[in-house]
Amino acid sequence: MANPNVKVQYNQIFINNNFVNSASGKTFNTINPANKKIIINVSEGDKEDIDLAVKAARAAFQPSSEWRTMDASARGKLIYKLSELIDEHKNYLANLESLDNGKPFGDSLLDIAVSVSTLQYYAGFADKIHGKTIPADGPFFSFTKPQPIGVVGQIIPWNYPIMMLAWKWGPALAAGCTVVLKPAEQTPLTALYIAALTKEAGFPDGVINVVPGYGPTAGKAIASHPDINKVAFTGSTEVGKLIMEEAAKSNLKRVSLELGGKSPLVIFNDFDVDEAASIAHDAVFANMGQNCCAGSRTFVQDGIYDEFVKKAAKLASLKKVGDPFNSDTQIGPLIDENQYNKVLSMIESGKKEGAKVEAGGSKVGDTGYFVYSTVFSNVTDDMRIAREEIFGPVQQIIKFKTLDEVIKRANETKYGLAAGVLTKDISTALKYMENVDAGSVWINCYDVVNTQCPFGGFKQSGQGRELGEDGLNEYLEIKTVSIKK
């Protein structure tokens, strides 16, 4: 049941299976975005705390440690046990997530279900990581042996706090790595609670560490730490560049990045307009538009453009905005004041540059960081709202005429995370799929992200992949062994 008065149980740093205060004694506020009130003060990790967490993770990764000598199948059972505990505590966790993040309670429950299945998928993978025998030239027997990359620093965003934790922990733990996680400063509470569950599940000391804090301090300390072997980051392209720079300067640690997007969803005249409007609506407005692969550039062919705009506007105007703990709420607040002001600024830029507001276009009261679901028509490619990632509930509807034209326009962006196409013509769909620059392409659907399938971007939307076997490989080093016969 939804409970806005949920009590926070953990607000300290989690290192070596213990909750401790930050070395500096500093704390920061985590805010409820629905009412702008302080939920609780959280221990603020800094470089010294990251050093302590890395030291614990490094000790847990020593060759003779309990974690390193554990059977791979036993490692999988621990991950599975954690998934079961998260499922057992899903009601509490969903309340905590909605309190800290602002997403509707039902959405939080759905995120947890996905997170549980992600951990279970990788639990099953733990004892199925194996190398190859290779018929190498000469009198040699050669084979490969995959090994865990080592101590991993992971920095996750605020839009899907529990899900991003699962995406990061699942493959890292299955591979046999140890982890230092920095949750987003806006949403640290569920990561700290799940940290307590890892201890209950039986993970050895130092395998999992959680250090809340800010990007320029704790995040930078992870990216630049000489005893961290890999950093995995999900967030903005701008911060991803900084992480790559720090990683290169420190020890050339491995880096995987899942970054921003300005993803195109292309709709052709032959597709049912009602279904298209519904798919496009969900593509943009899911999670209050705070979704890296949101289909925020809606390209609609000229034959159905006007009809589509009317239907899109109606869907957005019917979207129920409000308290995330109310059962009829469909869209909650934006995460914080910075994001709220950015989205409102982008909406104003759209108005000034000549786009037409078909729905929404303003804030909702002053109690929390609420913005009406907004639809713009008459959008051109040179407008800010068509070029920059908004990360909010704002849809840009752009007219096009031909397939070749829309492929070119879809690719005129620095991003390449995702793309979609709605058409009944398989040749059109396949040509678009083949030529669009995107790590995921959805045909007659959108935002279909499955644990079994790799997810990641082209161009400045990142490098590396998450989920599936490809996501697991990001946490492995390949050792080649040759034996003279």
Side-chain angles (χ1 to χ4, degrees):
M1 296 290 292
N3 176 20
N5 300 311
V6 60
K7 184 179 179 182
V8 178
Q9 296 188 34
Y10 303 104
N11 65 336
Q12 294 172 291
I13 293 170
F14 186 78
I15 296 176
N16 216 29
N17 264 349
N18 291 298
F19 283 101
V20 296
N21 290 326
S22 60
S24 67
K26 291 191 295 184
T27 63
F28 64 93
N29 299 327
T30 185
I31 305 293
N32 179 347
N35 59 22
K36 306 180 185 177
K37 293 181 180 179
I38 296 172
I39 300 170
I40 198 169
N41 293 328
V42 177
S43 291
E44 181 186 336
D46 207 332
K47 183 179 184 303
E48 189 173 351
D49 304 286
I50 295 296
D51 287 343
L52 292 170
V54 172
K55 184 178 180 181
R58 179 61 58 190
F61 193 73
Q62 292 303 308
S64 59
S65 71
E66 180 184 357
W67 181 244
R68 291 295 301 281
T69 56
M70 183 182 295
D71 288 343
S73 59
R75 196 164 64 238
K77 288 176 182 176
L78 278 181
I79 300 169
Y80 201 92
K81 176 62 177 175
L82 176 61
S83 77
E84 291 180 318
L85 288 172
I86 291 172
D87 191 49
E88 288 175 20
H89 292 250
K90 63 186 176 186
N91 196 63
Y92 175 84
L93 281 165
N95 279 296
L96 198 59
E97 190 87 319
S98 292
L99 181 71
D100 208 16
N101 171 278
K103 66 176 65 191
F105 178 75
D107 290 359
S108 293
L109 279 174
L110 181 61
D111 286 359
I112 292 168
V114 172
S115 302
V116 167
S117 67
T118 299
L119 290 171
Q120 291 179 350
Y121 172 82
Y122 283 110
F125 234 130
D127 60 356
K128 299 167 187 68
I129 301 169
H130 48 77
K132 302 175 182 178
T133 56
I134 301 169
D137 290 349
F140 303 103
F141 172 62
S142 297
F143 62 94
T144 58
K145 178 176 172 53
Q147 294 189 182
I149 204 165
V151 177
V152 176
Q154 300 178 323
I155 304 170
I156 60 174
W158 43 260
N159 56 338
Y160 294 97
I162 295 176
M163 195 188 303
M164 292 298 98
L165 178 149
W167 280 29
K168 295 287 188 288
W169 282 7
L173 296 171
C177 297
T178 57
V179 169
V180 177
L181 177 86
K182 190 197 88 66
E185 62 268 23
Q186 297 91 339
T187 54
L189 299 181
T190 49
L192 293 172
Y193 190 85
I194 294 173
L197 296 182
T198 68
K199 184 174 183 177
E200 183 178 343
F203 281 87
D205 293 354
V207 172
I208 295 171
N209 307 273
V210 179
V211 183
Y214 292 99
T217 51
K220 182 177 180 179
I222 287 174
S224 62
H225 205 290
D227 284 332
I228 288 180
N229 303 101
K230 171 192 167 66
V231 60
F233 170 73
T234 298
S236 72
T237 296
E238 292 70 26
V239 175
K241 291 178 180 179
L242 295 174
I243 286 172
M244 282 196 77
E245 184 179 350
E246 292 293 339
K249 288 192 297 186
S250 59
N251 61 349
L252 211 63
K253 60 173 62 67
R254 303 290 188 270
V255 177
S256 58
L257 304 169
E258 198 268 279
L259 307 175
K262 192 67 178 176
S263 300
L265 172 58
V266 175
I267 302 166
F268 284 87
N269 290 334
D270 64 354
F271 201 82
D272 180 79
V273 182
D274 287 305
E275 185 180 357
S278 177
I279 291 171
H281 177 86
D282 292 340
V284 176
F285 295 108
N287 204 47
M288 292 73 75
Q290 299 172 140
N291 181 8
C292 55
C293 58
S296 56
R297 287 189 294 156
T298 309
F299 286 95
V300 181
Q301 202 165 20
D302 51 4
I304 58 170
Y305 185 87
D306 292 339
E307 184 183 1
F308 179 93
V309 167
K310 291 177 184 177
K311 293 180 182 296
K314 183 177 180 180
L315 287 173
S317 65
L318 294 173
K319 200 84 166 177
K320 176 68 175 177
V321 183
D323 185 336
F325 292 97
N326 288 343
S327 59
D328 60 345
T329 293
Q330 297 172 292
I331 190 162
L334 298 176
I335 188 65
D336 63 11
E337 186 172 3
N338 287 340
Q339 191 63 22
Y340 175 72
N341 289 335
K342 176 191 173 185
V343 171
L344 290 175
S345 172
M346 292 295 290
I347 289 172
E348 289 307 307
S349 80
K351 295 175 183 177
K352 290 177 182 177
E353 292 183 355
K356 182 182 178 183
V357 176
E358 300 284 352
S362 64
K363 65 180 183 178
V364 183
D366 294 306
T367 302
Y369 302 119
F370 295 93
V371 175
Y372 282 114
S373 300
T374 298
V375 174
F376 280 108
S377 65
N378 298 340
V379 177
T380 57
D381 295 347
D382 58 341
M383 293 178 180
R384 280 187 66 201
I385 56 172
R387 292 184 289 106
E388 299 179 21
E389 185 175 35
I390 300 174
F391 227 63
V394 186
Q395 181 179 29
Q396 290 69 242
I397 308 179
I398 309 168
K399 187 182 294 185
F400 79 95
K401 292 184 178 181
T402 68
L403 171 59
D404 289 340
E405 167 210 337
V406 80
I407 289 171
K408 182 176 183 294
R409 293 170 67 189
N411 287 336
E412 287 176 345
T413 172
K414 67 180 180 181
Y415 298 113
L417 188 56
V421 57
L422 307 182
T423 178
K424 296 303 181 183
D425 187 328
I426 189 63
S427 297
T428 297
L430 292 178
K431 183 174 181 180
Y432 176 81
M433 176 277 296
E434 186 71 28
N435 291 283
V436 71
D437 298 332
S440 294
V441 181
W442 296 300
I443 299 174
N444 295 342
C445 57
Y446 199 85
D447 206 8
V448 179
V449 179
N450 289 310
T451 305
Q452 300 85 358
C453 301
F455 180 84
F458 287 19
K459 299 192 286 191
Q460 292 188 45
S461 285
Q463 59 181 36
R465 291 295 182 268
E466 298 199 271
L467 302 179
E469 187 174 3
D470 295 86
L472 180 69
N473 291 337
E474 297 285 341
Y475 292 91
L476 295 169
E477 292 281 23
I478 303 299
K479 181 178 288 183
T480 300
V481 182
S482 294
I483 305 169
K484 189 173 182 180
K485 297 177 182 177

